[in-house]
Amino acid sequence: MLRPMSSAPHLFDEPPLVSPSVPPLELLPAGDVEQLLGQAEALTRDNAHGAALEQLESLWPDVRHIAPLALRHRLAAAWAQMYRGHLDVAADLLEHADAIVQSPSFDAADRAAVLYRRGCVALKQAQITEAISLFTRALETNARSAHPSALLAADARNWRSRCYQAQRDWEAAARDADASLELATEAGCDRSRANAMFQASLVAERRRQWLVARFHAEQALEIYRREGDTLSTARILNNLGGIDFLLGDVAAAKKALLEAAATAAAAGSAADVAQATSSLAQVFLSSGHPVDARMHAEAALELLSGRTDFLEETGNAQLVMARAYAAEQDWESSGAWLDNAALTFAELGSTSQLAAVAIARGDLARALGDECSAATHYRHAAESLQDFHF
């Protein structure tokens, strides 16, 4: 069976770029600089992170001594650096933002905005528990504001839902996805609504509610296309391809995944091309075409080289490599790739994927005639996934 497609922690999220307590733009000094800063923020919103960083770098000398603009600059730069895979740089920028926002001139909602982004970076760094804590603190801090931001609350719950999915806490993940949708609707932000539907689709997929998952994904796709959000369109097409495969429509799955790869390429995101390519590899493997699967997995791994913020997809591609080699009866190569996948998923801290590696090890042992070792691996996988221990 095809594994659930990665949500790719994922660039489709639109940060609330203007903190709620900052006065209207026309009341701040340096109007021309402010306009350029707004343009750079818009570039991050449209996923043009390289162009945004170029503009932000040139603007820093002009905004560094104007606290409200300096905060906006640090938040936008951190967001762009995070999605380019420069997580340590993003964390440093947010540390500076945190120092700026401690001034009494800023509101609790401003401090919540920094906490929210720190949580995003922590999740990208696979620090799930820390990320949950930061998102929860962001929600609590935002609620204490004189002018709480519904959009910020929607985004924080959206990202916290991802954390709960990583921990296999489906009830908590579903609650946050539903609350995110309600808050995004309240804020009147269609893109955040689509983001919440995306998470609801992922939760339904993991619960094996595939028709529900497709319904939510198709709703999100419609909004992303209407908004002209190319990269988010690529990501949701990737997930729709996986859902189509789980529903037994291989042709539709391949079509959606090829479109996802082409759309991601048009958006200039090699990492998202890799995700769609890895998903195609899974389809080929599960359809009985191990050579094609291996070729696509190799291509995905090449594109993901050095991207520590895409550990899940890297591990998934490594696991496809292992299973493809096993299908070709190259037992040594299969075992080596299983070791690689195990290391990647251990770094990610994903119980589900480590269980998948254990199952693959069991299958390999069984193919080699070692029934006892196979049973041990299967038992290890089952025990790691059980949710009761007494």
Side-chain angles (χ1 to χ4, degrees):
M1 179 179 292
L2 185 69
R3 295 186 311 280
M5 300 294 172
S6 161
S7 62
H10 304 64
L11 215 96
F12 53 76
D13 306 86
E14 176 183 0
L17 293 169
V18 181
S19 57
S21 65
V22 174
L25 294 181
E26 63 271 14
L27 298 184
L28 290 173
D32 290 343
V33 171
E34 204 170 334
Q35 183 178 4
L36 291 172
L37 178 59
Q39 291 172 0
E41 291 171 328
L43 287 171
T44 66
R45 183 169 57 249
D46 293 335
N47 303 319
H49 298 295
L53 287 171
E54 288 181 12
Q55 188 154 324
L56 288 166
E57 183 178 0
S58 67
L59 284 172
W60 179 240
D62 296 314
V63 303
R64 62 183 303 172
H65 298 301
I66 307 171
L69 298 185
L71 175 62
R72 288 170 54 192
H73 183 285
R74 300 286 84 172
L75 294 180
W79 197 260
Q81 293 285 11
M82 180 182 75
Y83 273 117
R84 287 172 67 85
H86 305 151
L87 302 182
D88 290 340
V89 176
D92 289 343
L93 287 164
L94 289 173
E95 185 175 350
H96 188 194
D98 189 57
I100 294 171
V101 84
Q102 297 309 316
S103 165
S105 62
F106 288 96
D107 181 73
D110 299 306
R111 287 182 275 278
V114 178
L115 287 167
Y116 157 64
R117 286 166 179 76
R118 286 177 56 196
C120 297
V121 173
L123 179 55
K124 292 280 191 178
Q125 293 172 324
Q127 299 172 2
I128 308 298
T129 302
E130 175 67 8
I132 290 174
S133 174
L134 286 164
F135 291 135
T136 302
R137 287 172 58 195
L139 288 164
E140 293 170 349
T141 304
N142 182 58
R144 291 197 296 270
S145 169
H147 304 285
S149 168
L151 183 55
L152 174 60
D155 290 341
R157 285 190 176 273
N158 182 297
W159 279 71
R160 195 172 66 175
S161 176
R162 303 182 192 189
C163 296
Y164 288 134
Q165 290 172 55
Q167 293 183 331
R168 304 182 71 251
D169 187 344
W170 311 124
E171 291 297 329
R175 283 197 302 271
D176 266 352
D178 290 343
S180 178
L181 179 56
E182 182 177 346
L183 287 160
T185 301
E186 176 186 335
C189 180
D190 282 345
R191 195 176 300 190
S192 286
R193 284 180 57 240
N195 296 342
M197 292 172 190
F198 200 151
Q199 295 310 309
S201 174
L202 292 170
V203 173
E205 182 183 336
R206 295 299 293 271
R207 286 172 154 178
R208 304 173 69 88
Q209 300 169 348
W210 295 319
L211 291 175
V212 174
R214 185 168 65 181
F215 172 75
H216 287 307
E218 287 174 343
Q219 284 190 311
L221 176 62
E222 181 181 350
I223 293 174
Y224 289 141
R225 282 177 165 160
R226 186 171 69 240
E227 293 283 312
D229 189 338
T230 305
L231 198 51
S232 297
T233 296
R235 284 212 162 111
I236 200 71
L237 282 168
N238 177 60
N239 280 69
L240 274 167
I243 294 167
D244 284 334
F245 186 84
L246 292 168
L247 287 168
D249 193 338
V250 177
K254 289 181 178 179
K255 180 181 178 182
L257 294 172
L258 287 169
E259 186 180 354
T263 305
S269 175
D272 286 276
V273 173
Q275 289 191 91
T277 304
S278 178
S279 297
L280 274 168
Q282 294 183 50
V283 170
F284 280 119
L285 180 64
S286 299
S287 302
H289 302 283
V291 176
D292 288 331
R294 181 160 50 81
M295 290 173 58
H296 281 79
E298 285 175 337
L301 287 169
E302 184 176 350
L303 290 168
L304 291 171
S305 177
R307 293 300 300 260
T308 58
D309 53 331
F310 282 85
L311 290 176
E312 181 178 2
E313 205 56 62
T314 297
N316 285 343
Q318 290 169 335
L319 187 52
V320 169
M321 291 289 293
R323 286 194 173 279
Y325 274 120
E328 297 175 75
Q329 298 187 359
D330 185 343
W331 315 122
E332 184 177 353
S333 296
S334 179
W337 279 104
L338 283 175
D339 290 341
N340 291 337
L343 289 172
T344 301
F345 289 141
E347 185 177 355
L348 181 64
S350 172
T351 301
S352 297
Q353 273 100 347
L354 284 170
V357 172
I359 292 170
R361 289 193 192 280
D363 293 343
L364 180 59
R366 187 178 179 187
L368 293 171
D370 189 346
E371 297 290 341
C372 183
S373 179
T376 299
H377 288 303
Y378 293 146
R379 180 181 180 87
H380 175 70
E383 288 177 344
S384 68
L385 292 174
Q386 73 180 42
D387 56 4
F388 65 93
H389 303 279
F390 181 77

